[in-house]
Amino acid sequence: QLQLVESGGGLVQAGGSLRLSCAASGIIFSIYVMGWYRQAPGNQRELVASITRGSSPTYADSVKGRFTISRDNAKNTVYLQMNSLKPEDTAVYYCNAGSMNGYWGQGTQVTVSS
């Protein structure tokens, strides 16, 4: 059974850091492009960062220089290190395998207070 399970969300002050993790099971993790998306209330879900099978990352302009995506194929896990967090980063963050038509986790809340 396919599962993507996120962890690491929470409440942090502006300027702080969080590290999100997404553990995958039930898929051949190493063949998938993995991504982190986020959705704030009233907004559409947007791509934050993605990483190819060969670990080449792509970032939204709004997070470049602050967020780092990485993957460990041996552990079937993808990470999102978030530094210098801003209140506008507040959202539910979703792990994704295989882009918009792929597989999704249940989401983890990230709240950044000013």
Side-chain angles (χ1 to χ4, degrees), residues 5-114:
V5 179
E6 301 103 333
S7 61
L11 173 64
V12 65
Q13 289 189 329
S17 298
L18 285 173
R19 188 194 195 203
L20 305 183
S21 299
C22 171
S25 60
I27 60 172
I28 305 174
F29 178 82
S30 61
I31 72 171
Y32 281 89
V33 174
M34 298 298 297
W36 287 97
Y37 290 71
R38 67 186 180 188
Q39 188 167 18
N43 289 357
Q44 290 187 330
R45 192 170 296 189
E46 63 175 357
L47 177 65
V48 175
S50 64
I51 187 166
T52 68
R53 294 181 293 175
S55 295
S56 294
T58 302
Y59 298 99
D61 287 343
S62 59
V63 307
K64 281 181 182 176
R66 300 189 297 122
F67 291 11
T68 302
I69 189 170
S70 61
R71 67 190 295 163
D72 186 337
N73 289 340
K75 295 183 178 179
N76 286 2
T77 301
V78 61
Y79 305 96
L80 186 67
Q81 177 67 44
M82 304 186 294
N83 299 329
S84 302
L85 282 160
K86 304 175 181 180
E88 51 263 44
D89 294 317
T90 295
V92 178
Y93 284 70
Y94 296 91
C95 178
N96 170 270
S99 301
M100 291 296 288
N101 293 324
Y103 304 102
W104 297 91
Q106 82 286 354
T108 186
Q109 177 70 47
V110 171
T111 302
V112 185
S113 63
S114 57

